[in-house]
């Protein structure tokens, strides 16, 4: 009922905005000036495009001029276009200050992980064309499913906090926003093909409609196919992807757009080894290559298919120079599987706490041990939403009042199905041919439905004075989050729920002394409600024992962040220095846990945390066709309290927070004379702890990537280009980041004198080996 009402409202709003000459203006525009003619509008658009191209030359496209009240970094198409076309957005951002990326394969087909200033990817908001991308239940981010890099115009990373109008509820560590390239006004397109190490290949095609008749509309549609055999162990990852965008610019400066992204992928999991396993086996630590009827780690039992659809329709209405409206209806859908297997005893098969005796292999007895496919499946996630805003400009003030509504329905099941004769599952999705009980119900060890509803109101004022030299932003946001969970397992609570209402004010200011020098400062509050895992008990399929327990009383994370920075923008070089400080209460830390031999994400309440440090960024405009870039971060993140275990506590107060390297730095150099181009990027990341007790850590590492390219002269209205990308030059063998963290990895004397056993075994991502990818493309 609510979903139907919302979709009707979104459709009507979109149609109304289109009829009312809707469209979007560039971010940060204060007024809503009507343009006198279509000719004038085209001049403004052309000028904006020229500014974008010029700005992209700083640091080879790794840096642009910033004027906001918060720390912000941005990569542009000038940088993206020279990278391999396969990396996900995490990899593209890895050189920016504060970005610590854990890669898990050479080409970026595996999501891996990213932290910003020590905050994990599930604490960072991600949006594309205004639509939220984080999983609504776990807040996890899966960048391989979003947008092809060729179709991105720019990616912005705001390190400190989300914006007032950002449609996110878990982004206490900042926000990353992505925008698709606008369709061209001329008909044309691009065809490209890539081939490289491990027989990786990719095909890409993009078609531009140009201006469609006299409608003023223009569109593009792009398709790609990627196949990447594993660099370690058996397996083959492949995907097909489609991006499309339709734009209409109106005479008065308004804009309407609609974008679509669809991804259909199949991935075989890489094992995230423990430190001891890595030290013993290195890159050979992986899932089994040969099938055994009792080996749940056989690689064919860890194939995970996923499909994702993202729709967004940002509309901006310019009424007059004072008044404007923004509407962004969106819809997110996905379905997929985290594959796993379990060795089951037929006379003790569990669904929740209920024990059954079932003939699983059909041989007439219930005394065998049988391998079963037991994946964590998501049959569907439906997530419609709407962000609406009203802008009113008067004098030196630009007021904004908005409302964000988000509703989702997320189904998750851990069913049982047969393993085929070849050792793989009968159906990789896990939805078909499931084991049924005598009453016809599906046998499962995880079976629930979660409905999440978000209502958020926000109000802000931007004040500009002294010819825009002084800018002050103030705002407040009231967010109300409600989760209702239905657990269909025997022995569990059927219906549970959680509610949170959080007020998050923020204040920021920027003063520009002249065109070169400016200072900025901001104070922001952020929050993160517990994930859906807090609603449900999880059980072992083989013992019926609870693996994790529901905790509906888990508290919402709350944080306060402060930044103070200086920016310099000159004719030759630009740079910035930002000092930051965070204070967290009820800090939620994501970790990978193994349930029924599947690596799934759970969260730990790590209590309080204090993080402070400094980010540095420096880049130059072209100098003899060279554009160097440097970034660095110093981070000191500490746990504020002891970690409770039973009736005692681990002495974790004062320890370094997990996934928080003290120092990291990146150096890049780009050469481009218009015909030939080349570049390299080197990243150093220091030691990272993987336990709250700091009794285990992974060593620091260095990674280097390079690119070389040639743009041929125009041939019959086309300009061919060839590019070679080299990843992990030198084939450095290293762990790239903690995957699963633990409170402690060895027995420890507690605060009250008892001996506390090890609380888990940390696991790690293994970085991809050396790889080369050759790409040839033709624009027409």
């Amino acid at each position: 009922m609510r979903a139907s009402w919302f979709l009707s409202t979104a459709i009507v709003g979109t149609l109304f905005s289109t009829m009312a000459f809707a469209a979007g203006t560039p971010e940060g525009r204060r007024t809503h000036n009507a343009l006198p003619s279509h000719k004038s509008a085209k001049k403004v658009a052309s000028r904006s495009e020229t500014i974008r191209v010029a700005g992209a030359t700083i640091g080879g496209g790794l840096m642009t001029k910033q004027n906001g009240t918060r720390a912000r970094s941005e990569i542009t198409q000038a940088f993206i276009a020279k990278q391999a076309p396969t990396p996900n957005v995490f990899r593209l951002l890895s050189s920016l200050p504060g970005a610590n990326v854990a890669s898990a394969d050479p080409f970026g087909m595996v999501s891996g992980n990213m932290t910003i200033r020590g905050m994990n990817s599930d604490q960072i908001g991600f949006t594309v064309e205004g639509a939220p991308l984080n999983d609504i239940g776990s807040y996890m981010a899966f960048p391989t499913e979003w947008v092809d890099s060729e179709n991105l115009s720019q990616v912005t990373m705001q390190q400190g906090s989300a914006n007032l109008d950002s449609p996110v509820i878990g982004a206490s560590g900042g926000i990353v926003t992505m925008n698709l390239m606008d369709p061209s006004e001329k008909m044309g397109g691009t065809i490209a093909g890539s081939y490289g190490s491990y027989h990786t290949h990719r095909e890409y095609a993009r078609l531009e409609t140009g201006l469609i008749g006299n409608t003023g509309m223009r569109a593009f549609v792009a398709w790609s196919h990627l196949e990447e055999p594993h660099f370690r162990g058996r397996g083959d990852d492949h995907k097909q992807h489609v991006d499309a965008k339709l734009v209409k610019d109106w005479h008065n400066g308004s804009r309407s757009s609609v974008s679509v992204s669809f991804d259909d992928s199949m991935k075989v999991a890489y094992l995230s080894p423990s430190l001891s396993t890595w030290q013993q086996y290195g890159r050979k630590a992986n899932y089994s290559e040969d099938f055994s009827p009792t080996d749940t780690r056989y690689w064919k039992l860890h194939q995970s298919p996923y499909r994702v659809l993202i729709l967004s329709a940002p509309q901006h209405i310019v009424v007059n120079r004072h008044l404007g409206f923004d509407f962004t209806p969106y819809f997110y859908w996905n379905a997929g599987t985290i594959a796993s297997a379990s060795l089951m005893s037929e006379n003790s098969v569990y669904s929740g706490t209920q024990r059954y005796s079932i003939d699983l292999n059909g041989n007439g007895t219930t005394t065998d041990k049988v391998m079963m496919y037991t994946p964590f499946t998501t049959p569907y996630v439906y997530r419609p939403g709407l962000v609406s805003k009203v802008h009113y400009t008067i004098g030196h003030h630009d007021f904004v009042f908005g409302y964000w509504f988000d509703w989702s329905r997320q189904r998750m099941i851990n069913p049982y199905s047969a393993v085929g004769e070849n050792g793989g599952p009968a159906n990789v999705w896990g939805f078909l041919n499931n084991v049924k009980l005598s009453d016809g119900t599906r046998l499962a060890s995880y079976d629930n439905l979660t409905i999440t509803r978000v209502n958020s109101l926000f109000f802000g004022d931007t004040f500009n004075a002294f010819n825009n030299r002084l800018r002050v932003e103030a705002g407040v946001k009231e967010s109300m989050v409600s989760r209702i969970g239905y657990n269909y397992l025997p022995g569990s609570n059927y219906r549970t729920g959680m509610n949170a209402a959080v007020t998050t004010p923020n204040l920021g200011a920027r003063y520009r002394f002249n065109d070169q020098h400016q200072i900025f400062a901001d104070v922001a509050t952020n929050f993160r409600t517990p994930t859906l895992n807090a609603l449900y008990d999880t059980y072992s399929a083989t013992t019926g024992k609870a693996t994790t327990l529901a905790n509906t009383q888990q508290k919402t994370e709350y944080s306060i962040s402060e930044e103070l920075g200086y920016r310099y923008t000159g004719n030759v070089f630009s740079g910035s220095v930002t000092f930051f400080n965070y204070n967290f209460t009820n800090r939620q830390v994501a970790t990978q846990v193994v349930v029924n031999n599947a690596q799934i994400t759970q969260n730990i309440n790590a209590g309080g945390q204090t993080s402070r440090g400094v980010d540095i960024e420096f880049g130059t405009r072209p100098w003899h066709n060279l554009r160097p870039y440097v970034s660095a971060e110093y981070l000191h993140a500490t746990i504020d309290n002891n970690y409770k275990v039973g009736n005692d506590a681990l002495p974790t107060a004062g320890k370094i927070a997990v996934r928080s390297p003290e120092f990291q730095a990146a150096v890049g150099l780009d050469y481009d004379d218009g015909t030939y181009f080349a570049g390299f990027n080197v990243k150093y990341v220091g030691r990272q702890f993987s336990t709250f007790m700091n009794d285990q850590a992974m060593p620091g590492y260095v990674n280097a990537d390079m690119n070389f390219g040639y743009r041929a002269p125009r041939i019959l209205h086309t300009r061919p280009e060839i590019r070679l990308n080299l990843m992990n030059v030198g084939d450095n063998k290293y762990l790239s980041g903690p995957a699963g963290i633990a409170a402690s990895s060895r027995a420890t004397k507690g605060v009250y004198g008892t001996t506390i056993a090890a609380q888990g075994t940390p696991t790690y991502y293994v970085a991809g080996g050396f790889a080369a990818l050759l790409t040839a493309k033709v624009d027409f």
Side-chain angles (χ1 to χ4, degrees):
M1 181 72 178
R2 292 188 181 95
S4 300
W5 173 85
F6 168 75
L7 288 173
S8 300
T9 304
I11 293 170
V12 170
T14 302
L15 291 175
F16 170 77
S17 61
T18 301
M19 294 171 64
F21 301 99
T25 54
E27 183 180 353
R29 179 173 177 172
R30 285 187 60 248
T31 60
H32 308 277
N33 296 315
L35 299 178
S37 67
H38 182 61
K39 183 176 180 180
S40 298
K42 293 186 71 174
K43 286 182 179 179
V44 171
S46 175
R47 184 171 179 267
S48 177
E49 182 178 355
T50 302
I51 292 173
R52 169 66 62 192
V53 172
T57 62
I58 303 177
L62 280 167
M63 192 175 180
T64 62
K65 183 177 180 179
Q66 301 294 332
N67 285 296
T69 62
R70 303 181 186 186
R72 192 171 180 229
S73 299
E74 183 176 324
I75 63 172
T76 71
Q77 183 59 214
F79 170 77
I80 296 170
K82 295 174 184 177
Q83 309 312 302
T86 55
N88 59 63
V89 71
F90 285 3
R91 298 274 289 270
L92 293 174
L93 294 172
S94 61
S95 292
L96 299 186
N100 172 24
V101 175
S103 63
D105 71 323
F107 295 104
M109 183 69 176
V110 179
S111 294
N113 193 33
M114 180 175 77
T115 65
I116 296 179
R117 295 177 179 172
M119 264 67 78
N120 201 54
S121 58
D122 64 316
Q123 293 189 281
I124 304 166
F126 295 88
T127 67
V128 61
E129 292 291 319
L133 300 173
N134 299 71
D135 182 273
I136 187 61
S138 68
Y139 307 130
M140 294 302 294
F142 305 98
T144 61
E145 301 167 356
W146 298 339
V147 181
D148 276 345
S149 60
E150 295 101 327
N151 303 323
L152 286 169
S153 60
Q154 78 276 341
V155 183
T156 299
M157 185 177 82
Q158 191 164 283
Q159 291 94 334
S161 59
N163 295 315
L164 187 67
D165 58 353
S166 299
V168 292
I169 58 173
S172 55
I175 189 166
V176 173
T177 58
M178 291 167 279
N179 289 292
L180 293 169
M181 294 179 66
D182 281 349
S184 173
E185 294 186 354
K186 294 182 179 181
M187 183 181 294
T190 299
I191 297 176
S194 303
Y195 185 81
S197 302
Y198 316 107
H199 302 293
T200 298
H201 60 89
R202 183 178 185 269
E203 301 77 44
Y204 172 84
R206 174 184 170 115
L207 296 177
E208 303 270 6
T209 65
L211 289 172
I212 304 173
N214 295 319
T215 65
M217 293 188 293
R218 49 200 165 103
F220 79 79
V221 59
W223 164 88
S224 70
H225 169 262
L226 171 63
E227 185 164 348
E228 179 189 334
H230 277 203
F231 82 102
R232 62 184 182 100
R234 297 284 297 278
D236 182 287
D237 299 337
H238 54 87
K239 64 180 290 186
Q240 296 200 68
H241 187 90
V242 174
D243 291 322
K245 186 175 182 178
L246 173 70
V247 171
K248 164 69 174 177
D249 291 310
W250 301 90
H251 294 275
N252 68 339
S254 299
R255 160 174 283 213
S256 297
S257 68
V258 178
S259 65
V260 179
S261 290
F262 176 75
D263 192 87
D264 183 0
S265 65
M266 173 71 77
K267 302 170 189 173
V268 180
Y270 285 102
L271 179 68
S272 296
S274 65
L275 187 60
S276 60
T277 301
W278 165 256
Q279 291 170 344
Q280 182 176 359
Y281 296 103
R283 289 179 181 167
K284 293 181 179 179
N286 207 7
Y287 289 103
S288 305
E289 297 187 10
D290 299 316
F291 175 65
S292 167
T294 60
D295 187 1
T296 59
R297 289 193 170 191
Y298 182 51
W299 71 271
K300 286 187 178 180
L301 296 171
H302 296 272
Q303 303 175 77
S304 297
Y306 256 88
R307 290 174 182 158
V308 176
L309 175 67
I310 306 165
L311 302 173
S312 181
Q315 314 293 318
H316 182 83
I317 305 170
V318 174
V319 178
N320 54 44
R321 63 187 302 267
H322 296 289
L323 181 63
F325 298 89
D326 286 283
F327 300 100
T328 304
Y330 60 83
F331 179 76
Y332 178 94
W333 168 88
N334 84 331
T337 294
I338 301 175
S340 67
S342 300
L343 192 62
M344 315 293 299
S345 295
E346 290 181 319
N347 61 356
S348 60
V349 177
Y350 285 87
S351 178
T353 59
Q354 184 66 49
R355 178 178 174 178
Y356 299 93
S357 180
I358 304 174
D359 181 11
L360 296 173
N361 57 7
N363 67 352
T365 69
T366 58
T367 59
D368 301 324
K369 280 196 172 184
V370 181
M371 179 94 75
M372 299 298 293
Y373 186 54
T374 55
F376 281 83
T377 65
T378 303
Y380 59 80
V381 175
Y382 298 113
R383 187 183 181 186
L386 173 67
V387 183
S388 55
K389 296 180 289 185
V390 180
H391 297 270
Y392 187 75
T393 300
I394 182 170
H396 295 284
H397 295 270
D398 184 9
F399 297 100
V400 61
F401 176 77
Y403 170 62
W404 169 41
F405 174 76
D406 186 281
W407 181 91
S408 66
R409 185 180 179 92
Q410 186 169 9
R411 187 81 165 91
M412 299 185 71
I413 311 171
N414 186 206
Y416 299 69
S417 57
V419 174
E421 293 182 359
N422 66 349
N427 177 267
V428 292
W429 290 86
F431 300 148
L432 302 177
N433 304 319
N434 297 144
V435 175
K436 300 292 183 64
L437 299 175
S438 58
D439 61 359
T441 59
R442 179 193 289 113
L443 182 68
S445 61
Y446 192 80
D447 193 350
N448 57 59
L449 169 67
T450 308
I451 297 173
T452 304
R453 184 171 59 248
V454 181
N455 289 276
S456 184
L457 293 169
F458 53 90
F459 174 77
D461 175 25
T462 300
F463 172 75
N464 287 276
F466 308 118
N467 294 320
N468 293 329
R469 295 174 72 176
L470 173 66
R471 180 186 182 94
V472 180
E473 296 178 351
V476 63
K477 188 173 187 176
E478 177 71 17
S479 300
M480 294 151 282
V481 183
S482 169
R483 290 198 200 274
I484 300 174
Y486 299 92
N487 197 339
Y488 302 114
L489 294 180
S492 62
N493 291 328
Y494 171 66
R495 189 181 189 275
T496 57
M498 300 179 69
N499 294 283
V502 186
T503 303
T504 49
N506 64 76
L507 175 67
R510 182 265 295 154
Y511 185 79
R512 181 167 52 84
F513 296 95
N514 50 43
D515 291 340
Q516 288 78 39
H517 303 277
Q518 58 179 272
I519 58 173
F520 65 93
D522 73 272
V523 179
T525 54
N526 304 280
F527 77 102
R528 185 179 189 271
T529 56
T531 65
L532 64 78
N533 295 318
L535 298 176
Y536 307 112
D537 298 331
T538 59
Y539 302 92
S540 168
T542 56
T543 67
K545 294 182 179 179
T547 305
T548 59
L549 296 177
N551 182 12
T552 57
Q553 302 304 311
Q554 185 174 344
K555 296 180 179 179
T556 295
E557 177 186 286
Y558 195 83
S559 62
I560 302 174
S561 64
E562 300 100 8
E563 292 181 323
L564 175 65
Y566 163 78
R567 299 187 185 107
Y568 173 80
T569 305
N571 295 327
V572 177
F573 65 87
S574 299
S576 68
V577 179
T578 304
F579 297 90
F580 59 85
N581 180 75
Y582 296 85
N583 288 283
F584 292 87
T585 57
N586 299 305
R587 172 90 155 91
Q588 296 177 26
V589 178
T591 180
Q592 283 188 359
V593 297
V594 177
V595 179
N596 298 335
N597 299 299
Q599 297 177 151
I600 65 173
T601 299
Q602 297 280 11
N603 280 267
I604 298 173
N605 188 332
Q609 180 176 315
T610 300
S611 301
R612 52 179 58 115
V614 58
D615 286 335
I616 300 172
E617 190 174 28
F618 172 89
T620 75
R621 297 183 185 277
W623 178 76
H624 297 286
N625 299 319
L626 293 172
R627 305 165 183 84
Y629 173 84
V630 177
S631 71
E633 178 180 88
Y634 169 77
L635 172 65
H636 184 67
T638 56
I639 301 171
D640 293 341
N641 54 272
N642 297 321
Y643 182 78
K644 186 176 180 181
V645 179
N647 295 321
D648 207 334
L650 290 170
T652 56
K655 302 291 187 181
I656 301 298
V658 297
R659 300 191 182 103
S660 301
E662 185 177 38
F663 183 75
Q664 57 178 314
V667 176
L669 181 63
D670 176 74
Y671 172 87
D672 194 335
D673 65 5
T675 299
Y676 297 95
F677 61 89
F680 72 84
N681 292 88
V682 179
K683 182 68 180 278
Y684 166 77
V685 179
R687 180 182 63 169
Q688 299 178 63
F689 288 107
S690 54
T691 65
F692 297 160
M693 277 299 300
N694 293 173
D695 55 13
Q696 190 171 124
M698 54 161 278
Y701 66 86
V702 176
N703 181 74
D705 298 332
M706 302 180 70
N707 67 77
F708 306 90
Y710 170 71
R711 303 182 185 98
R714 290 190 175 275
I715 304 172
L716 298 176
H717 306 291
T718 69
R719 187 168 188 182
E721 177 182 307
I722 188 167
R723 180 170 73 254
L724 175 64
N725 292 96
L726 305 177
M727 281 71 73
N728 191 4
V729 177
D731 195 28
N732 187 15
K733 298 175 178 63
Y734 63 94
L735 298 173
S736 60
I741 58 96
S744 63
S745 66
R746 59 175 69 108
T748 306
K749 186 177 182 180
V751 174
Y752 302 112
T754 63
T755 299
I756 301 174
Q759 296 298 294
T761 303
T763 57
Y764 302 88
Y765 294 105
V766 177
F770 168 76
L773 191 70
L774 184 66
T775 301
K777 76 166 188 172
V778 176
D779 296 322
F780 58 89

